[in-house]
Amino acid sequence: MRSQIIGALALNLGLVSAFQDASPFFLFSTSRLANTSLDSLNIASSTQVTSSVLKALESCSSQTYLLVEQPSARVSDFVNNKAAPTLRRQIQKEDERVLSSYTVQEVAGTIDVAKITQYLSAQCQTQQLSQEQFDNHRSSNGGSPPAIVAIQVAALPSNPKERAIQLRNNDDLLGSYIDTASARGEYTVLYITSPPSTSESPYTSAHTQQVYEMDELDFASADHIELKRDFNGHIRDDENKALPLFETYQFLSPGLFMAGTVSLILIVILYVGVNAIASLEVSYMAFSKEMGPAAQKKQA
C-alpha cells in the first residue's frame, strides 16, 4: 500500500513538473542550415536541443547570429496569431528570405547560450557585439566578420493583459534587430525562452485553489497509515436528533408508495369478484328431486 502511494505521487509530480519547467524554442535563418533533428522534436531536453543547434550551425553560412533570450515564457503565449506577428512570420516562412525554420514546443531545462556562443566563436570566427555596437554596424555589410549578438528582452509579467502587451513590444524589438541583421546579409535567429518561476507563473494562483490539503503521511512507519477522519457526519447526526420525527426519517419511500398502489388495485379487483359471485340468485327448488306426475312420466 505504501509503495503504491509513493509511486502515484512520484508519477503525478513528474508529469506536472515536466510541463512547468518547459518552454518553446525557435530557430530560423535566411541560409539553408545543415540537416538536424530539430524538425522531428516536439518535446526534448535542453541538452538535445543544444546539440542539434550546434549541428545545424556548423556550416557557418550566416553573417549575423541573433541570440534572443525571452524569460518567463510558455508555448501558450505564442498560440494567438497576434501575440508575436514578427516571430510568426519568420517561423512560417512568410518572409521569402527565410529558408530554414525549426520549432520545439516544449524544451525541458535551460539551453546553454554560453556554449552556443563559444561554438560560433571557435567554429565561425564570429565577433561578439553588444546591442549598441550592433546598431552601429547596420551599414557594415561588406568586409566585416560574422557577428553574434546576445539580446535580452524583458520578462513577461504574470498579469495576462500586461503579458500580451510586453510580448508584443518584445516582438517589435525583434523586428528592428532583424532589419539591422538583414542589412548586413544572411542572418540566423535563435529565439530561446525560459519558463516562469513558480512564484511568477500565471497559472500558479489558479492551480493553488485546486490543491487538496493532505495530512502528512509517515512512511517510516509501515504498521499503519492514519487517514483523515470526517467528523462532519457526527455533527450532522447531532443536528438530526433535535429535529421532529417525521423530518428526521422518511416513512413513505417510492417503493412503499408503488406497493400500496398495486395492493389497492388488487383489493378492488377481489372485491368486485366476490361481489359478483355473491349476487348470484338460485332457488332451493333447483336442487330438490321431482316427485310429481311429470317425474314419473320421465322414469317410464
Side-chain angles (χ1 to χ4, degrees):
M1 180 65 181
R2 182 181 64 177
S3 60
Q4 292 178 355
I5 296 177
I6 296 176
L9 291 176
L11 179 60
N12 292 332
L13 291 176
L15 291 174
V16 172
S17 60
F19 291 98
Q20 284 184 347
D21 298 336
S23 59
F25 169 77
F26 307 97
L27 169 63
F28 54 91
S29 176
T30 56
S31 306
R32 295 194 180 276
L33 302 179
N35 292 331
T36 177
S37 60
L38 285 174
D39 53 353
S40 61
L41 295 177
N42 287 326
I43 301 177
S45 64
S46 58
T47 305
Q48 289 178 294
V49 174
T50 301
S51 60
S52 298
V53 167
L54 298 182
K55 177 68 176 177
L57 300 178
E58 64 181 5
S59 60
C60 300
S61 56
S62 296
Q63 187 71 14
T64 305
Y65 296 90
L66 301 179
L67 273 65
V68 183
E69 297 184 63
Q70 173 60 76
S72 303
R74 293 188 180 277
V75 67
S76 57
D77 295 322
F78 303 92
V79 173
N80 192 337
N81 294 334
K82 300 180 180 179
T86 301
L87 178 61
R88 177 177 293 272
R89 184 167 57 252
Q90 299 289 322
I91 290 296
Q92 295 182 349
K93 297 182 180 180
E94 295 178 2
D95 189 340
E96 296 180 353
R97 298 172 298 176
V98 178
L99 300 179
S100 305
S101 68
Y102 303 97
T103 302
V104 182
Q105 297 182 2
E106 299 283 352
V107 179
T110 304
I111 296 177
D112 194 347
V113 179
K115 185 176 181 179
I116 297 176
T117 303
Q118 294 173 2
Y119 176 82
L120 290 174
S121 299
Q123 180 75 10
C124 306
Q125 302 300 316
T126 59
Q127 62 174 342
Q128 189 168 359
L129 301 178
S130 64
Q131 298 181 17
E132 293 78 9
Q133 291 173 339
F134 180 65
D135 291 335
N136 296 331
H137 281 70
R138 176 183 290 272
S139 59
S140 300
N141 55 358
S144 60
I148 178 172
V149 185
I151 304 171
Q152 181 80 31
V153 297
L156 302 181
S158 58
N159 183 275
K161 292 183 179 180
E162 297 176 358
R163 191 178 184 85
I165 294 174
Q166 185 61 60
L167 181 59
R168 185 61 181 268
N169 294 337
N170 295 345
D171 187 71
D172 294 339
L173 181 62
L174 173 64
S176 65
Y177 279 106
I178 290 177
D179 292 340
T180 304
S182 178
R184 291 174 51 88
E186 304 294 338
Y187 62 87
T188 298
V189 178
L190 288 77
Y191 197 94
I192 304 169
T193 66
S194 58
S197 61
T198 305
S199 58
E200 63 183 3
S201 175
Y203 310 98
T204 304
S205 59
H207 290 314
T208 304
Q209 299 177 357
Q210 300 178 5
V211 176
Y212 296 97
E213 183 181 354
M214 297 179 61
D215 286 340
E216 251 185 37
L217 300 179
D218 185 11
F219 293 111
S221 176
D223 297 335
H224 67 280
I225 297 178
E226 184 176 359
L227 302 178
K228 181 185 286 187
R229 296 186 177 91
D230 183 14
F231 295 98
N232 294 331
H234 300 285
I235 297 175
R236 288 191 296 268
D237 292 340
D238 295 337
E239 293 177 353
N240 291 337
K241 290 180 179 178
L243 296 176
L245 180 63
F246 289 95
E247 293 184 12
T248 304
Y249 300 99
Q250 183 181 7
F251 291 95
L252 185 60
S253 63
L256 292 176
F257 179 77
M258 290 187 293
T261 304
V262 173
S263 300
L264 181 61
I265 295 174
L266 293 178
I267 291 174
V268 172
I269 295 174
L270 179 62
Y271 172 77
V272 172
V274 172
N275 191 26
I277 295 175
S279 63
L280 294 177
E281 297 181 356
V282 181
S283 63
Y284 291 104
M285 298 299 297
F287 300 97
S288 62
K289 186 176 180 181
E290 295 184 2
M291 300 301 295
Q296 294 178 357
K297 289 181 180 181
K298 288 180 181 181
Q299 292 178 356

